[in-house]
PDB file of all heavy atoms in Angstrom:
ATOM      1  N   TRP A1003      25.583  88.023  76.518  1.00 94.00           N
ATOM      2  CA  TRP A1003      26.411  89.236  76.575  1.00 94.00           C
ATOM      3  C   TRP A1003      27.627  89.141  75.655  1.00 94.00           C
ATOM      4  O   TRP A1003      27.881  90.068  74.864  1.00 94.00           O
ATOM      5  CB  TRP A1003      26.772  89.520  78.038  1.00 94.00           C
ATOM      6  CG  TRP A1003      27.873  90.497  78.298  1.00 94.00           C
ATOM      7  CD1 TRP A1003      29.071  90.235  78.875  1.00 94.00           C
ATOM      8  CD2 TRP A1003      27.877  91.907  78.009  1.00 94.00           C
ATOM      9  NE1 TRP A1003      29.820  91.374  78.960  1.00 94.00           N
ATOM     10  CE2 TRP A1003      29.119  92.417  78.434  1.00 94.00           C
ATOM     11  CE3 TRP A1003      26.965  92.780  77.411  1.00 94.00           C
ATOM     12  CZ2 TRP A1003      29.473  93.752  78.303  1.00 94.00           C
ATOM     13  CZ3 TRP A1003      27.322  94.129  77.273  1.00 94.00           C
ATOM     14  CH2 TRP A1003      28.558  94.595  77.718  1.00 94.00           C
ATOM     15  N   LEU A1011      29.994  94.517  68.062  1.00 90.00           N
ATOM     16  CA  LEU A1011      31.108  95.460  67.981  1.00 90.00           C
ATOM     17  C   LEU A1011      32.210  95.025  67.019  1.00 90.00           C
ATOM     18  O   LEU A1011      33.131  95.783  66.748  1.00 90.00           O
ATOM     19  CB  LEU A1011      31.720  95.670  69.363  1.00 90.00           C
ATOM     20  CG  LEU A1011      30.864  96.474  70.341  1.00 90.00           C
ATOM     21  CD1 LEU A1011      31.375  96.317  71.757  1.00 90.00           C
ATOM     22  CD2 LEU A1011      30.858  97.927  69.955  1.00 90.00           C
ATOM     23  N   LEU A1078      67.125  80.480  72.940  1.00 91.00           N
ATOM     24  CA  LEU A1078      68.029  80.654  74.085  1.00 91.00           C
ATOM     25  C   LEU A1078      67.238  80.882  75.376  1.00 91.00           C
ATOM     26  O   LEU A1078      67.600  80.368  76.428  1.00 91.00           O
ATOM     27  CB  LEU A1078      68.982  81.827  73.827  1.00 91.00           C
ATOM     28  CG  LEU A1078      70.008  81.578  72.724  1.00 91.00           C
ATOM     29  CD1 LEU A1078      70.857  82.810  72.498  1.00 91.00           C
ATOM     30  CD2 LEU A1078      70.887  80.382  73.072  1.00 91.00           C
ATOM     31  N   ARG A1081      65.939  77.750  76.939  1.00 88.00           N
ATOM     32  CA  ARG A1081      66.948  76.873  77.551  1.00 88.00           C
ATOM     33  C   ARG A1081      67.527  77.486  78.825  1.00 88.00           C
ATOM     34  O   ARG A1081      68.489  76.961  79.380  1.00 88.00           O
ATOM     35  CB  ARG A1081      68.108  76.589  76.577  1.00 88.00           C
ATOM     36  CG  ARG A1081      67.706  76.052  75.236  1.00 88.00           C
ATOM     37  CD  ARG A1081      67.056  74.683  75.320  1.00 88.00           C
ATOM     38  NE  ARG A1081      65.753  74.749  74.647  1.00 88.00           N
ATOM     39  CZ  ARG A1081      65.005  73.713  74.339  1.00 88.00           C
ATOM     40  NH1 ARG A1081      65.410  72.493  74.639  1.00 88.00           N
ATOM     41  NH2 ARG A1081      63.836  73.868  73.756  1.00 88.00           N
ATOM     42  N   MET A1082      67.002  78.639  79.237  1.00 89.00           N
ATOM     43  CA  MET A1082      67.568  79.278  80.434  1.00 89.00           C
ATOM     44  C   MET A1082      66.993  78.645  81.699  1.00 89.00           C
ATOM     45  O   MET A1082      66.009  77.940  81.666  1.00 89.00           O
ATOM     46  CB  MET A1082      67.200  80.761  80.445  1.00 89.00           C
ATOM     47  CG  MET A1082      67.992  81.598  79.487  1.00 89.00           C
ATOM     48  SD  MET A1082      67.298  83.266  79.477  1.00 89.00           S
ATOM     49  CE  MET A1082      68.264  83.995  78.183  1.00 89.00           C
ATOM     50  N   ARG A1084      64.827  78.818  85.102  1.00 87.00           N
ATOM     51  CA  ARG A1084      63.500  79.388  85.253  1.00 87.00           C
ATOM     52  C   ARG A1084      63.510  80.864  85.646  1.00 87.00           C
ATOM     53  O   ARG A1084      62.796  81.682  85.079  1.00 87.00           O
ATOM     54  CB  ARG A1084      62.723  78.588  86.284  1.00 87.00           C
ATOM     55  CG  ARG A1084      61.254  78.601  86.045  1.00 87.00           C
ATOM     56  CD  ARG A1084      60.529  78.066  87.245  1.00 87.00           C
ATOM     57  NE  ARG A1084      59.592  79.072  87.705  1.00 87.00           N
ATOM     58  CZ  ARG A1084      58.439  79.293  87.106  1.00 87.00           C
ATOM     59  NH1 ARG A1084      58.077  78.576  86.089  1.00 87.00           N
ATOM     60  NH2 ARG A1084      57.637  80.250  87.523  1.00 87.00           N
ATOM     61  N   SER A1099      54.086  95.836  75.716  1.00 78.00           N
ATOM     62  CA  SER A1099      52.875  96.559  76.077  1.00 78.00           C
ATOM     63  C   SER A1099      53.060  98.069  76.002  1.00 78.00           C
ATOM     64  O   SER A1099      52.096  98.807  76.000  1.00 78.00           O
ATOM     65  CB  SER A1099      52.442  96.160  77.480  1.00 78.00           C
ATOM     66  OG  SER A1099      53.448  96.512  78.384  1.00 78.00           O
ATOM     67  N   SER A1101      53.202 101.658  74.750  1.00 85.00           N
ATOM     68  CA  SER A1101      52.537 102.311  73.632  1.00 85.00           C
ATOM     69  C   SER A1101      53.498 102.585  72.483  1.00 85.00           C
ATOM     70  O   SER A1101      54.638 102.986  72.696  1.00 85.00           O
ATOM     71  CB  SER A1101      51.946 103.629  74.105  1.00 85.00           C
ATOM     72  OG  SER A1101      51.360 104.301  73.029  1.00 85.00           O
ATOM     73  N   PHE A1107      58.581 107.810  70.288  1.00 86.00           N
ATOM     74  CA  PHE A1107      59.175 108.979  70.936  1.00 86.00           C
ATOM     75  C   PHE A1107      60.568 108.645  71.470  1.00 86.00           C
ATOM     76  O   PHE A1107      61.522 109.405  71.272  1.00 86.00           O
ATOM     77  CB  PHE A1107      58.232 109.463  72.046  1.00 86.00           C
ATOM     78  CG  PHE A1107      58.846 110.425  73.008  1.00 86.00           C
ATOM     79  CD1 PHE A1107      59.360 111.632  72.576  1.00 86.00           C
ATOM     80  CD2 PHE A1107      58.907 110.124  74.361  1.00 86.00           C
ATOM     81  CE1 PHE A1107      59.924 112.517  73.465  1.00 86.00           C
ATOM     82  CE2 PHE A1107      59.480 111.001  75.262  1.00 86.00           C
ATOM     83  CZ  PHE A1107      59.993 112.199  74.812  1.00 86.00           C
ATOM     84  N   SER A1108      60.686 107.471  72.124  1.00 86.00           N
ATOM     85  CA  SER A1108      61.992 107.060  72.652  1.00 86.00           C
ATOM     86  C   SER A1108      63.024 106.944  71.541  1.00 86.00           C
ATOM     87  O   SER A1108      64.169 107.373  71.697  1.00 86.00           O
ATOM     88  CB  SER A1108      61.886 105.705  73.359  1.00 86.00           C
ATOM     89  OG  SER A1108      60.890 105.735  74.335  1.00 86.00           O
ATOM     90  N   ARG A1116      71.253 115.774  69.219  1.00 74.00           N
ATOM     91  CA  ARG A1116      71.821 116.301  70.455  1.00 74.00           C
ATOM     92  C   ARG A1116      72.410 115.211  71.358  1.00 74.00           C
ATOM     93  O   ARG A1116      73.559 115.316  71.785  1.00 74.00           O
ATOM     94  CB  ARG A1116      70.728 117.065  71.197  1.00 74.00           C
ATOM     95  CG  ARG A1116      71.217 117.764  72.421  1.00 74.00           C
ATOM     96  CD  ARG A1116      70.155 118.708  72.955  1.00 74.00           C
ATOM     97  NE  ARG A1116      70.466 119.028  74.339  1.00 74.00           N
ATOM     98  CZ  ARG A1116      71.449 119.838  74.693  1.00 74.00           C
ATOM     99  NH1 ARG A1116      72.204 120.396  73.772  1.00 74.00           N
ATOM    100  NH2 ARG A1116      71.677 120.082  75.960  1.00 74.00           N
ATOM    101  N   TYR A1148      61.628  96.724  66.931  1.00 94.00           N
ATOM    102  CA  TYR A1148      61.537  96.819  68.387  1.00 94.00           C
ATOM    103  C   TYR A1148      60.124  96.498  68.873  1.00 94.00           C
ATOM    104  O   TYR A1148      59.921  95.779  69.840  1.00 94.00           O
ATOM    105  CB  TYR A1148      61.926  98.236  68.802  1.00 94.00           C
ATOM    106  CG  TYR A1148      62.001  98.443  70.290  1.00 94.00           C
ATOM    107  CD1 TYR A1148      63.219  98.375  70.943  1.00 94.00           C
ATOM    108  CD2 TYR A1148      60.868  98.704  71.042  1.00 94.00           C
ATOM    109  CE1 TYR A1148      63.304  98.550  72.305  1.00 94.00           C
ATOM    110  CE2 TYR A1148      60.940  98.875  72.406  1.00 94.00           C
ATOM    111  CZ  TYR A1148      62.166  98.805  73.036  1.00 94.00           C
ATOM    112  OH  TYR A1148      62.224  98.969  74.383  1.00 94.00           O
ATOM    113  N   SER A1163      59.739  75.850  73.538  1.00 86.00           N
ATOM    114  CA  SER A1163      59.950  75.320  74.885  1.00 86.00           C
ATOM    115  C   SER A1163      59.563  73.847  74.950  1.00 86.00           C
ATOM    116  O   SER A1163      59.968  73.140  75.859  1.00 86.00           O
ATOM    117  CB  SER A1163      59.161  76.141  75.909  1.00 86.00           C
ATOM    118  OG  SER A1163      57.785  75.855  75.797  1.00 86.00           O
ATOM    119  N   ARG A1164      58.783  73.380  73.972  1.00 83.00           N
ATOM    120  CA  ARG A1164      58.441  71.959  73.931  1.00 83.00           C
ATOM    121  C   ARG A1164      59.437  71.162  73.098  1.00 83.00           C
ATOM    122  O   ARG A1164      59.409  69.942  73.103  1.00 83.00           O
ATOM    123  CB  ARG A1164      57.040  71.774  73.331  1.00 83.00           C
ATOM    124  CG  ARG A1164      55.940  72.065  74.314  1.00 83.00           C
ATOM    125  CD  ARG A1164      54.579  71.857  73.688  1.00 83.00           C
ATOM    126  NE  ARG A1164      53.534  72.055  74.660  1.00 83.00           N
ATOM    127  CZ  ARG A1164      53.079  73.242  75.034  1.00 83.00           C
ATOM    128  NH1 ARG A1164      53.601  74.328  74.494  1.00 83.00           N
ATOM    129  NH2 ARG A1164      52.134  73.357  75.932  1.00 83.00           N
ATOM    130  N   THR A1167      65.577  68.717  73.294  1.00 78.00           N
ATOM    131  CA  THR A1167      66.964  68.855  72.867  1.00 78.00           C
ATOM    132  C   THR A1167      67.514  67.518  72.382  1.00 78.00           C
ATOM    133  O   THR A1167      68.401  67.475  71.537  1.00 78.00           O
ATOM    134  CB  THR A1167      67.832  69.377  74.026  1.00 78.00           C
ATOM    135  OG1 THR A1167      67.057  70.311  74.757  1.00 78.00           O
ATOM    136  CG2 THR A1167      69.052  70.079  73.509  1.00 78.00           C
ATOM    137  N   ILE A1205      51.523  91.771  59.915  1.00 91.00           N
ATOM    138  CA  ILE A1205      50.247  92.455  60.168  1.00 91.00           C
ATOM    139  C   ILE A1205      50.447  93.654  61.090  1.00 91.00           C
ATOM    140  O   ILE A1205      49.902  94.734  60.862  1.00 91.00           O
ATOM    141  CB  ILE A1205      49.224  91.472  60.776  1.00 91.00           C
ATOM    142  CG1 ILE A1205      48.843  90.409  59.738  1.00 91.00           C
ATOM    143  CG2 ILE A1205      47.975  92.211  61.236  1.00 91.00           C
ATOM    144  CD1 ILE A1205      47.991  89.294  60.286  1.00 91.00           C
ATOM    145  N   GLY A1209      49.741  97.582  60.014  1.00 90.00           N
ATOM    146  CA  GLY A1209      48.786  98.387  60.754  1.00 90.00           C
ATOM    147  C   GLY A1209      49.392  99.537  61.526  1.00 90.00           C
ATOM    148  O   GLY A1209      48.670 100.360  62.089  1.00 90.00           O
TER     149      GLY A1209
ATOM    150  N   LYS B1227      76.817  83.183  72.323  1.00 88.00           N
ATOM    151  CA  LYS B1227      75.477  83.208  72.897  1.00 88.00           C
ATOM    152  C   LYS B1227      75.298  84.448  73.771  1.00 88.00           C
ATOM    153  O   LYS B1227      74.328  85.178  73.667  1.00 88.00           O
ATOM    154  CB  LYS B1227      75.304  81.944  73.750  1.00 88.00           C
ATOM    155  CG  LYS B1227      73.973  81.255  73.584  1.00 88.00           C
ATOM    156  CD  LYS B1227      73.833  80.152  74.597  1.00 88.00           C
ATOM    157  CE  LYS B1227      74.278  78.804  74.092  1.00 88.00           C
ATOM    158  NZ  LYS B1227      74.069  77.735  75.078  1.00 88.00           N
ATOM    159  N   LEU B1238      66.875  96.364  73.198  1.00 91.00           N
ATOM    160  CA  LEU B1238      65.555  96.504  73.805  1.00 91.00           C
ATOM    161  C   LEU B1238      65.534  97.525  74.935  1.00 91.00           C
ATOM    162  O   LEU B1238      64.530  98.198  75.169  1.00 91.00           O
ATOM    163  CB  LEU B1238      65.065  95.144  74.329  1.00 91.00           C
ATOM    164  CG  LEU B1238      64.680  94.128  73.253  1.00 91.00           C
ATOM    165  CD1 LEU B1238      64.475  92.748  73.853  1.00 91.00           C
ATOM    166  CD2 LEU B1238      63.425  94.567  72.518  1.00 91.00           C
ATOM    167  N   VAL B1245      65.210 107.461  77.600  1.00 85.00           N
ATOM    168  CA  VAL B1245      64.053 108.277  77.977  1.00 85.00           C
ATOM    169  C   VAL B1245      63.974 108.440  79.489  1.00 85.00           C
ATOM    170  O   VAL B1245      63.713 109.532  80.003  1.00 85.00           O
ATOM    171  CB  VAL B1245      62.758 107.655  77.425  1.00 85.00           C
ATOM    172  CG1 VAL B1245      61.553 108.237  78.129  1.00 85.00           C
ATOM    173  CG2 VAL B1245      62.656 107.932  75.944  1.00 85.00           C
ATOM    174  N   ARG B1255      66.379 121.323  78.826  1.00 75.00           N
ATOM    175  CA  ARG B1255      67.023 120.749  77.639  1.00 75.00           C
ATOM    176  C   ARG B1255      67.150 119.246  77.734  1.00 75.00           C
ATOM    177  O   ARG B1255      67.125 118.661  78.804  1.00 75.00           O
ATOM    178  CB  ARG B1255      68.406 121.371  77.454  1.00 75.00           C
ATOM    179  CG  ARG B1255      68.332 122.867  77.344  1.00 75.00           C
ATOM    180  CD  ARG B1255      69.579 123.435  76.763  1.00 75.00           C
ATOM    181  NE  ARG B1255      69.797 123.013  75.386  1.00 75.00           N
ATOM    182  CZ  ARG B1255      70.802 123.451  74.653  1.00 75.00           C
ATOM    183  NH1 ARG B1255      71.668 124.285  75.164  1.00 75.00           N
ATOM    184  NH2 ARG B1255      70.950 123.054  73.412  1.00 75.00           N
ATOM    185  N   MET B1256      67.296 118.644  76.565  1.00 74.00           N
ATOM    186  CA  MET B1256      67.395 117.195  76.479  1.00 74.00           C
ATOM    187  C   MET B1256      68.852 116.797  76.664  1.00 74.00           C
ATOM    188  O   MET B1256      69.689 117.063  75.808  1.00 74.00           O
ATOM    189  CB  MET B1256      66.890 116.794  75.087  1.00 74.00           C
ATOM    190  CG  MET B1256      66.628 115.349  74.899  1.00 74.00           C
ATOM    191  SD  MET B1256      65.486 115.140  73.513  1.00 74.00           S
ATOM    192  CE  MET B1256      66.554 115.382  72.129  1.00 74.00           C
ATOM    193  N   ASN B1257      69.186 116.206  77.815  1.00 74.00           N
ATOM    194  CA  ASN B1257      70.556 115.793  78.074  1.00 74.00           C
ATOM    195  C   ASN B1257      70.599 114.325  78.443  1.00 74.00           C
ATOM    196  O   ASN B1257      69.747 113.841  79.175  1.00 74.00           O
ATOM    197  CB  ASN B1257      71.149 116.587  79.241  1.00 74.00           C
ATOM    198  CG  ASN B1257      71.409 118.020  78.868  1.00 74.00           C
ATOM    199  OD1 ASN B1257      71.970 118.301  77.816  1.00 74.00           O
ATOM    200  ND2 ASN B1257      70.961 118.931  79.710  1.00 74.00           N
ATOM    201  N   SER B1297      34.322  90.085  81.451  1.00 96.00           N
ATOM    202  CA  SER B1297      32.917  89.678  81.475  1.00 96.00           C
ATOM    203  C   SER B1297      32.504  89.018  80.169  1.00 96.00           C
ATOM    204  O   SER B1297      31.543  88.250  80.124  1.00 96.00           O
ATOM    205  CB  SER B1297      32.023  90.895  81.760  1.00 96.00           C
ATOM    206  OG  SER B1297      31.915  91.691  80.609  1.00 96.00           O
ATOM    207  N   LEU B1326      43.592  90.202  65.305  1.00 85.00           N
ATOM    208  CA  LEU B1326      44.567  90.037  64.223  1.00 85.00           C
ATOM    209  C   LEU B1326      44.451  91.075  63.107  1.00 85.00           C
ATOM    210  O   LEU B1326      45.326  91.177  62.272  1.00 85.00           O
ATOM    211  CB  LEU B1326      44.443  88.631  63.616  1.00 85.00           C
ATOM    212  CG  LEU B1326      45.107  87.521  64.439  1.00 85.00           C
ATOM    213  CD1 LEU B1326      44.894  86.179  63.787  1.00 85.00           C
ATOM    214  CD2 LEU B1326      46.601  87.803  64.579  1.00 85.00           C
ATOM    215  N   SER B1329      45.862  97.281  63.004  1.00 90.00           N
ATOM    216  CA  SER B1329      45.213  98.202  63.944  1.00 90.00           C
ATOM    217  C   SER B1329      44.632  99.437  63.258  1.00 90.00           C
ATOM    218  O   SER B1329      43.617  99.962  63.708  1.00 90.00           O
ATOM    219  CB  SER B1329      46.186  98.588  65.048  1.00 90.00           C
ATOM    220  OG  SER B1329      47.371  99.065  64.492  1.00 90.00           O
ATOM    221  N   ILE B1415      46.982  96.512  80.677  1.00 87.00           N
ATOM    222  CA  ILE B1415      48.221  97.142  80.222  1.00 87.00           C
ATOM    223  C   ILE B1415      48.141  97.502  78.736  1.00 87.00           C
ATOM    224  O   ILE B1415      48.563  98.583  78.322  1.00 87.00           O
ATOM    225  CB  ILE B1415      49.415  96.207  80.489  1.00 87.00           C
ATOM    226  CG1 ILE B1415      49.618  96.034  81.994  1.00 87.00           C
ATOM    227  CG2 ILE B1415      50.670  96.744  79.865  1.00 87.00           C
ATOM    228  CD1 ILE B1415      50.061  97.277  82.709  1.00 87.00           C
ATOM    229  N   ASN B1419      48.039 101.479  76.966  1.00 87.00           N
ATOM    230  CA  ASN B1419      49.046 101.959  76.026  1.00 87.00           C
ATOM    231  C   ASN B1419      48.527 102.129  74.604  1.00 87.00           C
ATOM    232  O   ASN B1419      49.250 102.599  73.746  1.00 87.00           O
ATOM    233  CB  ASN B1419      50.224 100.983  76.009  1.00 87.00           C
ATOM    234  CG  ASN B1419      51.104 101.143  77.225  1.00 87.00           C
ATOM    235  OD1 ASN B1419      51.890 102.075  77.295  1.00 87.00           O
ATOM    236  ND2 ASN B1419      50.940 100.271  78.196  1.00 87.00           N
ATOM    237  N   ASP B1474      52.180  81.093  87.025  1.00 81.00           N
ATOM    238  CA  ASP B1474      53.342  80.511  86.386  1.00 81.00           C
ATOM    239  C   ASP B1474      53.482  81.167  85.020  1.00 81.00           C
ATOM    240  O   ASP B1474      52.827  80.770  84.070  1.00 81.00           O
ATOM    241  CB  ASP B1474      53.113  78.993  86.267  1.00 81.00           C
ATOM    242  CG  ASP B1474      54.325  78.289  85.700  1.00 81.00           C
ATOM    243  OD1 ASP B1474      55.179  78.974  85.112  1.00 81.00           O
ATOM    244  OD2 ASP B1474      54.402  77.066  85.849  1.00 81.00           O
ATOM    245  N   GLY B1480      52.333  79.584  77.441  1.00 78.00           N
ATOM    246  CA  GLY B1480      52.282  78.396  76.598  1.00 78.00           C
ATOM    247  C   GLY B1480      53.524  77.547  76.649  1.00 78.00           C
ATOM    248  O   GLY B1480      53.666  76.601  75.894  1.00 78.00           O
ATOM    249  N   GLY B1481      54.453  77.897  77.529  1.00 76.00           N
ATOM    250  CA  GLY B1481      55.690  77.136  77.603  1.00 76.00           C
ATOM    251  C   GLY B1481      55.502  75.844  78.372  1.00 76.00           C
ATOM    252  O   GLY B1481      54.587  75.703  79.159  1.00 76.00           O
ATOM    253  N   ASN B1482      56.347  74.883  78.096  1.00 67.00           N
ATOM    254  CA  ASN B1482      56.297  73.615  78.798  1.00 67.00           C
ATOM    255  C   ASN B1482      57.645  72.972  78.587  1.00 67.00           C
ATOM    256  O   ASN B1482      57.884  72.333  77.581  1.00 67.00           O
ATOM    257  CB  ASN B1482      55.171  72.740  78.241  1.00 67.00           C
ATOM    258  CG  ASN B1482      55.150  71.394  78.915  1.00 67.00           C
ATOM    259  OD1 ASN B1482      55.704  71.224  79.998  1.00 67.00           O
ATOM    260  ND2 ASN B1482      54.523  70.439  78.266  1.00 67.00           N
ATOM    261  N   ARG B1483      58.535  73.206  79.520  1.00 51.00           N
ATOM    262  CA  ARG B1483      59.911  72.734  79.363  1.00 51.00           C
ATOM    263  C   ARG B1483      59.921  71.227  79.234  1.00 51.00           C
ATOM    264  O   ARG B1483      59.489  70.520  80.132  1.00 51.00           O
ATOM    265  CB  ARG B1483      60.731  73.172  80.588  1.00 51.00           C
ATOM    266  CG  ARG B1483      62.206  72.903  80.456  1.00 51.00           C
ATOM    267  CD  ARG B1483      62.869  74.069  79.754  1.00 51.00           C
ATOM    268  NE  ARG B1483      64.299  73.828  79.679  1.00 51.00           N
ATOM    269  CZ  ARG B1483      65.183  74.456  80.411  1.00 51.00           C
ATOM    270  NH1 ARG B1483      64.811  75.353  81.263  1.00 51.00           N
ATOM    271  NH2 ARG B1483      66.467  74.209  80.266  1.00 51.00           N
ATOM    272  N   GLN B1485      62.008  68.889  79.487  1.00 38.00           N
ATOM    273  CA  GLN B1485      63.248  68.255  79.919  1.00 38.00           C
ATOM    274  C   GLN B1485      63.101  67.664  81.307  1.00 38.00           C
ATOM    275  O   GLN B1485      62.316  68.150  82.087  1.00 38.00           O
ATOM    276  CB  GLN B1485      64.383  69.272  79.928  1.00 38.00           C
ATOM    277  CG  GLN B1485      64.978  69.433  78.549  1.00 38.00           C
ATOM    278  CD  GLN B1485      65.734  70.735  78.409  1.00 38.00           C
ATOM    279  OE1 GLN B1485      65.852  71.471  79.370  1.00 38.00           O
ATOM    280  NE2 GLN B1485      66.203  71.021  77.229  1.00 38.00           N
TER     281      GLN B1485
END
Side-chain angles (χ1 to χ4, degrees):
Chain A
W1003 165 245
L1011 289 165
L1078 291 177
R1081 306 295 126 169
M1082 284 173 186
R1084 209 193 123 78
S1099 62
S1101 177
F1107 166 60
S1108 306
R1116 185 169 162 74
Y1148 185 97
S1163 73
R1164 281 181 176 80
T1167 323
I1205 293 172
Chain B
K1227 223 188 267 183
L1238 289 169
V1245 163
R1255 303 197 65 176
M1256 193 158 77
N1257 289 313
S1297 76
L1326 281 178
S1329 53
I1415 294 293
N1419 284 283
D1474 184 343
N1482 177 19
R1483 188 87 178 253
Q1485 277 160 3

